[in-house]
Amino acid sequence: MNITSAYASGRLTIGLIGELDHHEARETLQSITELLDEYLPRECAMDLSGLRFMDSSGIALIVRLNRKMRELGGRIWIENPSVQTRRVLEAAGIERLVQVAAIGGTT
């Protein structure tokens, strides 16, 4: 798993590249939490276009990050999920907690 980040004007954009499964989830959560603690963003966009695979561990990660951003007084959303990732997000009903935006607009 590779993680990219960019911060500007209170917005942290985090990109996940690779596979997010139970083997990667703990370390990924720790890395992202460190970024949130460093920048204290008002907004956090999770760009999932680089994820080739995600299982329920990814859902748990998103739920925890949503909780962390709410504690910071901010919000999180998901951008550009791949087809496989979108299916996992839809099956979990994650859109009830976190906005999911596709390329070309929100859904």
PDB file of all heavy atoms in Angstrom, residues 26-64:
ATOM      1  N   ARG A  26      -4.218  -1.768   9.371  1.00  0.00           N
ATOM      2  CA  ARG A  26      -3.714  -1.168  10.623  1.00  0.00           C
ATOM      3  C   ARG A  26      -2.625  -0.136  10.340  1.00  0.00           C
ATOM      4  O   ARG A  26      -2.662   0.982  10.864  1.00  0.00           O
ATOM      5  CB  ARG A  26      -3.182  -2.250  11.555  1.00  0.00           C
ATOM      6  CG  ARG A  26      -2.693  -1.656  12.884  1.00  0.00           C
ATOM      7  CD  ARG A  26      -2.243  -2.688  13.867  1.00  0.00           C
ATOM      8  NE  ARG A  26      -3.392  -3.491  14.277  1.00  0.00           N
ATOM      9  CZ  ARG A  26      -3.350  -4.800  14.503  1.00  0.00           C
ATOM     10  NH1 ARG A  26      -2.234  -5.450  14.387  1.00  0.00           N
ATOM     11  NH2 ARG A  26      -4.431  -5.436  14.871  1.00  0.00           N
ATOM     12  N   GLU A  27      -1.657  -0.506   9.527  1.00  0.00           N
ATOM     13  CA  GLU A  27      -0.566   0.417   9.205  1.00  0.00           C
ATOM     14  C   GLU A  27      -1.084   1.632   8.428  1.00  0.00           C
ATOM     15  O   GLU A  27      -0.647   2.757   8.664  1.00  0.00           O
ATOM     16  CB  GLU A  27       0.518  -0.303   8.400  1.00  0.00           C
ATOM     17  CG  GLU A  27       1.734   0.543   8.135  1.00  0.00           C
ATOM     18  CD  GLU A  27       2.833  -0.239   7.427  1.00  0.00           C
ATOM     19  OE1 GLU A  27       3.058  -1.414   7.773  1.00  0.00           O
ATOM     20  OE2 GLU A  27       3.445   0.335   6.520  1.00  0.00           O
ATOM     21  N   THR A  28      -2.021   1.401   7.526  1.00  0.00           N
ATOM     22  CA  THR A  28      -2.595   2.494   6.748  1.00  0.00           C
ATOM     23  C   THR A  28      -3.346   3.455   7.661  1.00  0.00           C
ATOM     24  O   THR A  28      -3.190   4.674   7.550  1.00  0.00           O
ATOM     25  CB  THR A  28      -3.529   1.941   5.657  1.00  0.00           C
ATOM     26  OG1 THR A  28      -2.772   1.070   4.798  1.00  0.00           O
ATOM     27  CG2 THR A  28      -4.137   3.050   4.816  1.00  0.00           C
ATOM     28  N   LEU A  29      -4.145   2.927   8.584  1.00  0.00           N
ATOM     29  CA  LEU A  29      -4.864   3.771   9.535  1.00  0.00           C
ATOM     30  C   LEU A  29      -3.894   4.591  10.369  1.00  0.00           C
ATOM     31  O   LEU A  29      -4.092   5.792  10.566  1.00  0.00           O
ATOM     32  CB  LEU A  29      -5.752   2.917  10.441  1.00  0.00           C
ATOM     33  CG  LEU A  29      -6.518   3.674  11.520  1.00  0.00           C
ATOM     34  CD1 LEU A  29      -7.476   4.686  10.909  1.00  0.00           C
ATOM     35  CD2 LEU A  29      -7.254   2.705  12.426  1.00  0.00           C
ATOM     36  N   GLN A  30      -2.827   3.987  10.825  1.00  0.00           N
ATOM     37  CA  GLN A  30      -1.839   4.705  11.629  1.00  0.00           C
ATOM     38  C   GLN A  30      -1.204   5.835  10.817  1.00  0.00           C
ATOM     39  O   GLN A  30      -1.066   6.958  11.304  1.00  0.00           O
ATOM     40  CB  GLN A  30      -0.766   3.748  12.128  1.00  0.00           C
ATOM     41  CG  GLN A  30       0.289   4.435  12.976  1.00  0.00           C
ATOM     42  CD  GLN A  30       1.333   3.459  13.510  1.00  0.00           C
ATOM     43  OE1 GLN A  30       1.188   2.253  13.409  1.00  0.00           O
ATOM     44  NE2 GLN A  30       2.389   4.005  14.078  1.00  0.00           N
ATOM     45  N   SER A  31      -0.833   5.554   9.578  1.00  0.00           N
ATOM     46  CA  SER A  31      -0.208   6.574   8.725  1.00  0.00           C
ATOM     47  C   SER A  31      -1.148   7.742   8.467  1.00  0.00           C
ATOM     48  O   SER A  31      -0.748   8.907   8.533  1.00  0.00           O
ATOM     49  CB  SER A  31       0.233   5.959   7.395  1.00  0.00           C
ATOM     50  OG  SER A  31       1.223   4.992   7.604  1.00  0.00           O
ATOM     51  N   ILE A  32      -2.410   7.434   8.180  1.00  0.00           N
ATOM     52  CA  ILE A  32      -3.372   8.501   7.900  1.00  0.00           C
ATOM     53  C   ILE A  32      -3.679   9.290   9.165  1.00  0.00           C
ATOM     54  O   ILE A  32      -3.791  10.521   9.131  1.00  0.00           O
ATOM     55  CB  ILE A  32      -4.652   7.922   7.261  1.00  0.00           C
ATOM     56  CG1 ILE A  32      -4.318   7.354   5.877  1.00  0.00           C
ATOM     57  CG2 ILE A  32      -5.731   9.000   7.150  1.00  0.00           C
ATOM     58  CD1 ILE A  32      -5.460   6.593   5.232  1.00  0.00           C
ATOM     59  N   THR A  33      -3.795   8.621  10.294  1.00  0.00           N
ATOM     60  CA  THR A  33      -4.029   9.312  11.564  1.00  0.00           C
ATOM     61  C   THR A  33      -2.885  10.279  11.864  1.00  0.00           C
ATOM     62  O   THR A  33      -3.115  11.403  12.332  1.00  0.00           O
ATOM     63  CB  THR A  33      -4.212   8.297  12.710  1.00  0.00           C
ATOM     64  OG1 THR A  33      -5.340   7.470  12.417  1.00  0.00           O
ATOM     65  CG2 THR A  33      -4.427   9.000  14.037  1.00  0.00           C
ATOM     66  N   GLU A  34      -1.661   9.873  11.581  1.00  0.00           N
ATOM     67  CA  GLU A  34      -0.513  10.764  11.778  1.00  0.00           C
ATOM     68  C   GLU A  34      -0.621  11.996  10.886  1.00  0.00           C
ATOM     69  O   GLU A  34      -0.303  13.111  11.321  1.00  0.00           O
ATOM     70  CB  GLU A  34       0.788  10.009  11.505  1.00  0.00           C
ATOM     71  CG  GLU A  34       1.121   8.994  12.584  1.00  0.00           C
ATOM     72  CD  GLU A  34       2.301   8.100  12.225  1.00  0.00           C
ATOM     73  OE1 GLU A  34       2.930   8.286  11.165  1.00  0.00           O
ATOM     74  OE2 GLU A  34       2.580   7.169  13.019  1.00  0.00           O
ATOM     75  N   LEU A  35      -1.084  11.820   9.647  1.00  0.00           N
ATOM     76  CA  LEU A  35      -1.280  12.959   8.748  1.00  0.00           C
ATOM     77  C   LEU A  35      -2.361  13.895   9.296  1.00  0.00           C
ATOM     78  O   LEU A  35      -2.203  15.116   9.273  1.00  0.00           O
ATOM     79  CB  LEU A  35      -1.653  12.486   7.342  1.00  0.00           C
ATOM     80  CG  LEU A  35      -0.545  11.820   6.533  1.00  0.00           C
ATOM     81  CD1 LEU A  35      -1.117  11.148   5.292  1.00  0.00           C
ATOM     82  CD2 LEU A  35       0.514  12.851   6.141  1.00  0.00           C
ATOM     83  N   LEU A  36      -3.454  13.325   9.790  1.00  0.00           N
ATOM     84  CA  LEU A  36      -4.523  14.145  10.353  1.00  0.00           C
ATOM     85  C   LEU A  36      -4.030  14.914  11.573  1.00  0.00           C
ATOM     86  O   LEU A  36      -4.351  16.097  11.744  1.00  0.00           O
ATOM     87  CB  LEU A  36      -5.725  13.281  10.721  1.00  0.00           C
ATOM     88  CG  LEU A  36      -6.464  12.605   9.566  1.00  0.00           C
ATOM     89  CD1 LEU A  36      -7.598  11.745  10.105  1.00  0.00           C
ATOM     90  CD2 LEU A  36      -6.969  13.607   8.556  1.00  0.00           C
ATOM     91  N   ASP A  37      -3.252  14.270  12.426  1.00  0.00           N
ATOM     92  CA  ASP A  37      -2.713  14.928  13.614  1.00  0.00           C
ATOM     93  C   ASP A  37      -1.711  16.022  13.250  1.00  0.00           C
ATOM     94  O   ASP A  37      -1.617  17.046  13.930  1.00  0.00           O
ATOM     95  CB  ASP A  37      -2.052  13.909  14.542  1.00  0.00           C
ATOM     96  CG  ASP A  37      -3.054  12.993  15.233  1.00  0.00           C
ATOM     97  OD1 ASP A  37      -4.257  13.335  15.274  1.00  0.00           O
ATOM     98  OD2 ASP A  37      -2.632  11.930  15.720  1.00  0.00           O
ATOM     99  N   GLU A  38      -0.970  15.809  12.173  1.00  0.00           N
ATOM    100  CA  GLU A  38       0.020  16.802  11.738  1.00  0.00           C
ATOM    101  C   GLU A  38      -0.650  18.043  11.149  1.00  0.00           C
ATOM    102  O   GLU A  38      -0.297  19.169  11.489  1.00  0.00           O
ATOM    103  CB  GLU A  38       0.954  16.183  10.695  1.00  0.00           C
ATOM    104  CG  GLU A  38       1.971  17.153  10.144  1.00  0.00           C
ATOM    105  CD  GLU A  38       2.889  16.525   9.101  1.00  0.00           C
ATOM    106  OE1 GLU A  38       2.881  15.292   8.928  1.00  0.00           O
ATOM    107  OE2 GLU A  38       3.631  17.296   8.441  1.00  0.00           O
ATOM    108  N   TYR A  39      -1.619  17.850  10.257  1.00  0.00           N
ATOM    109  CA  TYR A  39      -2.217  18.976   9.529  1.00  0.00           C
ATOM    110  C   TYR A  39      -3.488  19.530  10.157  1.00  0.00           C
ATOM    111  O   TYR A  39      -3.853  20.670   9.881  1.00  0.00           O
ATOM    112  CB  TYR A  39      -2.511  18.568   8.081  1.00  0.00           C
ATOM    113  CG  TYR A  39      -1.261  18.323   7.282  1.00  0.00           C
ATOM    114  CD1 TYR A  39      -0.889  17.036   6.933  1.00  0.00           C
ATOM    115  CD2 TYR A  39      -0.439  19.380   6.889  1.00  0.00           C
ATOM    116  CE1 TYR A  39       0.268  16.803   6.198  1.00  0.00           C
ATOM    117  CE2 TYR A  39       0.713  19.168   6.155  1.00  0.00           C
ATOM    118  CZ  TYR A  39       1.064  17.872   5.817  1.00  0.00           C
ATOM    119  OH  TYR A  39       2.210  17.642   5.091  1.00  0.00           O
ATOM    120  N   LEU A  40      -4.199  18.724  10.970  1.00  0.00           N
ATOM    121  CA  LEU A  40      -5.471  19.140  11.563  1.00  0.00           C
ATOM    122  C   LEU A  40      -6.381  19.789  10.512  1.00  0.00           C
ATOM    123  O   LEU A  40      -6.821  20.940  10.668  1.00  0.00           O
ATOM    124  CB  LEU A  40      -5.237  20.087  12.742  1.00  0.00           C
ATOM    125  CG  LEU A  40      -4.411  19.520  13.891  1.00  0.00           C
ATOM    126  CD1 LEU A  40      -4.098  20.604  14.898  1.00  0.00           C
ATOM    127  CD2 LEU A  40      -5.115  18.338  14.538  1.00  0.00           C
ATOM    128  N   PRO A  41      -6.678  19.069   9.442  1.00  0.00           N
ATOM    129  CA  PRO A  41      -7.452  19.657   8.345  1.00  0.00           C
ATOM    130  C   PRO A  41      -8.922  19.849   8.706  1.00  0.00           C
ATOM    131  O   PRO A  41      -9.463  19.156   9.565  1.00  0.00           O
ATOM    132  CB  PRO A  41      -7.316  18.601   7.233  1.00  0.00           C
ATOM    133  CG  PRO A  41      -7.209  17.311   7.982  1.00  0.00           C
ATOM    134  CD  PRO A  41      -6.374  17.647   9.196  1.00  0.00           C
ATOM    135  N   ARG A  42      -9.567  20.800   8.029  1.00  0.00           N
ATOM    136  CA  ARG A  42     -11.013  20.973   8.149  1.00  0.00           C
ATOM    137  C   ARG A  42     -11.733  20.012   7.212  1.00  0.00           C
ATOM    138  O   ARG A  42     -12.864  19.624   7.463  1.00  0.00           O
ATOM    139  CB  ARG A  42     -11.404  22.413   7.812  1.00  0.00           C
ATOM    140  CG  ARG A  42     -10.897  23.429   8.825  1.00  0.00           C
ATOM    141  CD  ARG A  42     -11.374  24.832   8.490  1.00  0.00           C
ATOM    142  NE  ARG A  42     -11.130  25.242   7.103  1.00  0.00           N
ATOM    143  CZ  ARG A  42     -10.006  25.805   6.661  1.00  0.00           C
ATOM    144  NH1 ARG A  42      -9.011  26.020   7.490  1.00  0.00           N
ATOM    145  NH2 ARG A  42      -9.890  26.156   5.396  1.00  0.00           N
ATOM    146  N   GLU A  43     -11.056  19.669   6.113  1.00  0.00           N
ATOM    147  CA  GLU A  43     -11.619  18.762   5.124  1.00  0.00           C
ATOM    148  C   GLU A  43     -10.575  17.721   4.751  1.00  0.00           C
ATOM    149  O   GLU A  43      -9.382  18.032   4.672  1.00  0.00           O
ATOM    150  CB  GLU A  43     -12.022  19.522   3.861  1.00  0.00           C
ATOM    151  CG  GLU A  43     -13.076  20.577   4.095  1.00  0.00           C
ATOM    152  CD  GLU A  43     -13.457  21.287   2.815  1.00  0.00           C
ATOM    153  OE1 GLU A  43     -12.593  21.436   1.922  1.00  0.00           O
ATOM    154  OE2 GLU A  43     -14.619  21.699   2.704  1.00  0.00           O
ATOM    155  N   CYS A  44     -11.050  16.500   4.503  1.00  0.00           N
ATOM    156  CA  CYS A  44     -10.162  15.417   4.098  1.00  0.00           C
ATOM    157  C   CYS A  44     -10.812  14.643   2.962  1.00  0.00           C
ATOM    158  O   CYS A  44     -11.907  14.095   3.129  1.00  0.00           O
ATOM    159  CB  CYS A  44      -9.863  14.494   5.267  1.00  0.00           C
ATOM    160  SG  CYS A  44      -8.731  13.151   4.841  1.00  0.00           S
ATOM    161  N   ALA A  45     -10.164  14.631   1.821  1.00  0.00           N
ATOM    162  CA  ALA A  45     -10.640  13.874   0.665  1.00  0.00           C
ATOM    163  C   ALA A  45      -9.808  12.606   0.547  1.00  0.00           C
ATOM    164  O   ALA A  45      -8.579  12.663   0.559  1.00  0.00           O
ATOM    165  CB  ALA A  45     -10.498  14.711  -0.602  1.00  0.00           C
ATOM    166  N   MET A  46     -10.483  11.469   0.458  1.00  0.00           N
ATOM    167  CA  MET A  46      -9.812  10.185   0.270  1.00  0.00           C
ATOM    168  C   MET A  46      -9.942   9.794  -1.197  1.00  0.00           C
ATOM    169  O   MET A  46     -11.026   9.429  -1.651  1.00  0.00           O
ATOM    170  CB  MET A  46     -10.469   9.109   1.135  1.00  0.00           C
ATOM    171  CG  MET A  46     -10.434   9.376   2.615  1.00  0.00           C
ATOM    172  SD  MET A  46      -8.808   9.150   3.326  1.00  0.00           S
ATOM    173  CE  MET A  46      -8.500   7.452   2.932  1.00  0.00           C
ATOM    174  N   ASP A  47      -8.853   9.908  -1.950  1.00  0.00           N
ATOM    175  CA  ASP A  47      -8.857   9.527  -3.363  1.00  0.00           C
ATOM    176  C   ASP A  47      -8.555   8.032  -3.458  1.00  0.00           C
ATOM    177  O   ASP A  47      -7.437   7.597  -3.181  1.00  0.00           O
ATOM    178  CB  ASP A  47      -7.819  10.337  -4.126  1.00  0.00           C
ATOM    179  CG  ASP A  47      -7.820  10.046  -5.616  1.00  0.00           C
ATOM    180  OD1 ASP A  47      -8.519   9.104  -6.058  1.00  0.00           O
ATOM    181  OD2 ASP A  47      -7.116  10.765  -6.343  1.00  0.00           O
ATOM    182  N   LEU A  48      -9.561   7.255  -3.840  1.00  0.00           N
ATOM    183  CA  LEU A  48      -9.416   5.806  -3.901  1.00  0.00           C
ATOM    184  C   LEU A  48      -9.255   5.292  -5.330  1.00  0.00           C
ATOM    185  O   LEU A  48      -9.402   4.100  -5.582  1.00  0.00           O
ATOM    186  CB  LEU A  48     -10.621   5.133  -3.230  1.00  0.00           C
ATOM    187  CG  LEU A  48     -10.895   5.543  -1.785  1.00  0.00           C
ATOM    188  CD1 LEU A  48     -12.037   4.713  -1.211  1.00  0.00           C
ATOM    189  CD2 LEU A  48      -9.658   5.425  -0.923  1.00  0.00           C
ATOM    190  N   SER A  49      -8.932   6.170  -6.261  1.00  0.00           N
ATOM    191  CA  SER A  49      -8.795   5.758  -7.662  1.00  0.00           C
ATOM    192  C   SER A  49      -7.651   4.768  -7.866  1.00  0.00           C
ATOM    193  O   SER A  49      -7.677   3.980  -8.814  1.00  0.00           O
ATOM    194  CB  SER A  49      -8.596   6.980  -8.564  1.00  0.00           C
ATOM    195  OG  SER A  49      -7.413   7.683  -8.208  1.00  0.00           O
ATOM    196  N   GLY A  50      -6.672   4.765  -6.974  1.00  0.00           N
ATOM    197  CA  GLY A  50      -5.533   3.869  -7.102  1.00  0.00           C
ATOM    198  C   GLY A  50      -5.688   2.528  -6.402  1.00  0.00           C
ATOM    199  O   GLY A  50      -4.796   1.694  -6.441  1.00  0.00           O
ATOM    200  N   LEU A  51      -6.838   2.317  -5.746  1.00  0.00           N
ATOM    201  CA  LEU A  51      -7.057   1.038  -5.070  1.00  0.00           C
ATOM    202  C   LEU A  51      -7.497  -0.020  -6.071  1.00  0.00           C
ATOM    203  O   LEU A  51      -8.477   0.154  -6.775  1.00  0.00           O
ATOM    204  CB  LEU A  51      -8.135   1.162  -3.985  1.00  0.00           C
ATOM    205  CG  LEU A  51      -7.719   1.651  -2.628  1.00  0.00           C
ATOM    206  CD1 LEU A  51      -8.892   1.563  -1.663  1.00  0.00           C
ATOM    207  CD2 LEU A  51      -6.540   0.896  -2.074  1.00  0.00           C
ATOM    208  N   ARG A  52      -6.751  -1.106  -6.100  1.00  0.00           N
ATOM    209  CA  ARG A  52      -7.127  -2.235  -6.954  1.00  0.00           C
ATOM    210  C   ARG A  52      -8.073  -3.182  -6.234  1.00  0.00           C
ATOM    211  O   ARG A  52      -8.838  -3.906  -6.862  1.00  0.00           O
ATOM    212  CB  ARG A  52      -5.879  -3.008  -7.390  1.00  0.00           C
ATOM    213  CG  ARG A  52      -4.955  -2.218  -8.289  1.00  0.00           C
ATOM    214  CD  ARG A  52      -3.790  -3.053  -8.763  1.00  0.00           C
ATOM    215  NE  ARG A  52      -3.053  -3.716  -7.693  1.00  0.00           N
ATOM    216  CZ  ARG A  52      -2.030  -3.199  -7.023  1.00  0.00           C
ATOM    217  NH1 ARG A  52      -1.629  -1.980  -7.312  1.00  0.00           N
ATOM    218  NH2 ARG A  52      -1.414  -3.880  -6.082  1.00  0.00           N
ATOM    219  N   PHE A  53      -8.009  -3.182  -4.889  1.00  0.00           N
ATOM    220  CA  PHE A  53      -8.828  -4.080  -4.088  1.00  0.00           C
ATOM    221  C   PHE A  53      -9.047  -3.472  -2.714  1.00  0.00           C
ATOM    222  O   PHE A  53      -8.141  -2.865  -2.148  1.00  0.00           O
ATOM    223  CB  PHE A  53      -8.134  -5.445  -3.925  1.00  0.00           C
ATOM    224  CG  PHE A  53      -8.858  -6.372  -3.006  1.00  0.00           C
ATOM    225  CD1 PHE A  53      -9.919  -7.132  -3.463  1.00  0.00           C
ATOM    226  CD2 PHE A  53      -8.490  -6.478  -1.674  1.00  0.00           C
ATOM    227  CE1 PHE A  53     -10.606  -7.989  -2.599  1.00  0.00           C
ATOM    228  CE2 PHE A  53      -9.163  -7.329  -0.807  1.00  0.00           C
ATOM    229  CZ  PHE A  53     -10.227  -8.090  -1.274  1.00  0.00           C
ATOM    230  N   MET A  54     -10.264  -3.639  -2.199  1.00  0.00           N
ATOM    231  CA  MET A  54     -10.567  -3.239  -0.833  1.00  0.00           C
ATOM    232  C   MET A  54     -11.589  -4.215  -0.272  1.00  0.00           C
ATOM    233  O   MET A  54     -12.541  -4.593  -0.960  1.00  0.00           O
ATOM    234  CB  MET A  54     -11.143  -1.823  -0.789  1.00  0.00           C
ATOM    235  CG  MET A  54     -11.394  -1.333   0.636  1.00  0.00           C
ATOM    236  SD  MET A  54     -12.012   0.356   0.725  1.00  0.00           S
ATOM    237  CE  MET A  54     -13.757   0.075   0.476  1.00  0.00           C
ATOM    238  N   ASP A  55     -11.394  -4.636   0.976  1.00  0.00           N
ATOM    239  CA  ASP A  55     -12.373  -5.492   1.642  1.00  0.00           C
ATOM    240  C   ASP A  55     -12.981  -4.734   2.817  1.00  0.00           C
ATOM    241  O   ASP A  55     -12.851  -3.512   2.922  1.00  0.00           O
ATOM    242  CB  ASP A  55     -11.762  -6.839   2.046  1.00  0.00           C
ATOM    243  CG  ASP A  55     -10.663  -6.721   3.090  1.00  0.00           C
ATOM    244  OD1 ASP A  55     -10.487  -5.635   3.695  1.00  0.00           O
ATOM    245  OD2 ASP A  55      -9.968  -7.729   3.316  1.00  0.00           O
ATOM    246  N   SER A  56     -13.644  -5.441   3.706  1.00  0.00           N
ATOM    247  CA  SER A  56     -14.328  -4.800   4.831  1.00  0.00           C
ATOM    248  C   SER A  56     -13.370  -4.056   5.757  1.00  0.00           C
ATOM    249  O   SER A  56     -13.785  -3.142   6.482  1.00  0.00           O
ATOM    250  CB  SER A  56     -15.135  -5.825   5.619  1.00  0.00           C
ATOM    251  OG  SER A  56     -14.286  -6.822   6.141  1.00  0.00           O
ATOM    252  N   SER A  57     -12.105  -4.399   5.729  1.00  0.00           N
ATOM    253  CA  SER A  57     -11.118  -3.662   6.534  1.00  0.00           C
ATOM    254  C   SER A  57     -11.036  -2.208   6.082  1.00  0.00           C
ATOM    255  O   SER A  57     -10.802  -1.313   6.897  1.00  0.00           O
ATOM    256  CB  SER A  57      -9.740  -4.308   6.419  1.00  0.00           C
ATOM    257  OG  SER A  57      -9.774  -5.627   6.871  1.00  0.00           O
ATOM    258  N   GLY A  58     -11.233  -1.988   4.804  1.00  0.00           N
ATOM    259  CA  GLY A  58     -11.258  -0.625   4.280  1.00  0.00           C
ATOM    260  C   GLY A  58     -12.453   0.152   4.782  1.00  0.00           C
ATOM    261  O   GLY A  58     -12.361   1.351   5.053  1.00  0.00           O
ATOM    262  N   ILE A  59     -13.594  -0.529   4.922  1.00  0.00           N
ATOM    263  CA  ILE A  59     -14.788   0.121   5.475  1.00  0.00           C
ATOM    264  C   ILE A  59     -14.510   0.542   6.918  1.00  0.00           C
ATOM    265  O   ILE A  59     -14.827   1.667   7.318  1.00  0.00           O
ATOM    266  CB  ILE A  59     -16.003  -0.827   5.411  1.00  0.00           C
ATOM    267  CG1 ILE A  59     -16.345  -1.171   3.963  1.00  0.00           C
ATOM    268  CG2 ILE A  59     -17.201  -0.232   6.150  1.00  0.00           C
ATOM    269  CD1 ILE A  59     -16.722   0.002   3.092  1.00  0.00           C
ATOM    270  N   ALA A  60     -13.922  -0.346   7.696  1.00  0.00           N
ATOM    271  CA  ALA A  60     -13.587  -0.018   9.090  1.00  0.00           C
ATOM    272  C   ALA A  60     -12.648   1.182   9.149  1.00  0.00           C
ATOM    273  O   ALA A  60     -12.804   2.066  10.000  1.00  0.00           O
ATOM    274  CB  ALA A  60     -12.976  -1.227   9.783  1.00  0.00           C
ATOM    275  N   LEU A  61     -11.681   1.234   8.250  1.00  0.00           N
ATOM    276  CA  LEU A  61     -10.742   2.358   8.204  1.00  0.00           C
ATOM    277  C   LEU A  61     -11.489   3.654   7.920  1.00  0.00           C
ATOM    278  O   LEU A  61     -11.268   4.667   8.599  1.00  0.00           O
ATOM    279  CB  LEU A  61      -9.687   2.085   7.128  1.00  0.00           C
ATOM    280  CG  LEU A  61      -8.633   3.168   6.961  1.00  0.00           C
ATOM    281  CD1 LEU A  61      -7.263   2.530   6.777  1.00  0.00           C
ATOM    282  CD2 LEU A  61      -8.950   4.025   5.747  1.00  0.00           C
ATOM    283  N   ILE A  62     -12.397   3.643   6.959  1.00  0.00           N
ATOM    284  CA  ILE A  62     -13.154   4.847   6.607  1.00  0.00           C
ATOM    285  C   ILE A  62     -14.016   5.297   7.795  1.00  0.00           C
ATOM    286  O   ILE A  62     -14.085   6.484   8.102  1.00  0.00           O
ATOM    287  CB  ILE A  62     -14.008   4.600   5.353  1.00  0.00           C
ATOM    288  CG1 ILE A  62     -13.088   4.436   4.130  1.00  0.00           C
ATOM    289  CG2 ILE A  62     -15.000   5.739   5.127  1.00  0.00           C
ATOM    290  CD1 ILE A  62     -13.775   3.868   2.913  1.00  0.00           C
ATOM    291  N   VAL A  63     -14.662   4.366   8.470  1.00  0.00           N
ATOM    292  CA  VAL A  63     -15.495   4.702   9.625  1.00  0.00           C
ATOM    293  C   VAL A  63     -14.643   5.344  10.727  1.00  0.00           C
ATOM    294  O   VAL A  63     -15.029   6.354  11.320  1.00  0.00           O
ATOM    295  CB  VAL A  63     -16.242   3.458  10.150  1.00  0.00           C
ATOM    296  CG1 VAL A  63     -16.895   3.730  11.496  1.00  0.00           C
ATOM    297  CG2 VAL A  63     -17.269   2.988   9.129  1.00  0.00           C
ATOM    298  N   ARG A  64     -13.478   4.791  10.984  1.00  0.00           N
ATOM    299  CA  ARG A  64     -12.591   5.368  12.020  1.00  0.00           C
ATOM    300  C   ARG A  64     -12.095   6.755  11.627  1.00  0.00           C
ATOM    301  O   ARG A  64     -12.006   7.659  12.467  1.00  0.00           O
ATOM    302  CB  ARG A  64     -11.421   4.428  12.285  1.00  0.00           C
ATOM    303  CG  ARG A  64     -11.855   3.201  13.045  1.00  0.00           C
ATOM    304  CD  ARG A  64     -10.667   2.341  13.425  1.00  0.00           C
ATOM    305  NE  ARG A  64     -11.119   1.188  14.163  1.00  0.00           N
ATOM    306  CZ  ARG A  64     -10.809  -0.061  13.845  1.00  0.00           C
ATOM    307  NH1 ARG A  64     -10.019  -0.314  12.819  1.00  0.00           N
ATOM    308  NH2 ARG A  64     -11.267  -1.060  14.564  1.00  0.00           N
TER     309      ARG A  64
END
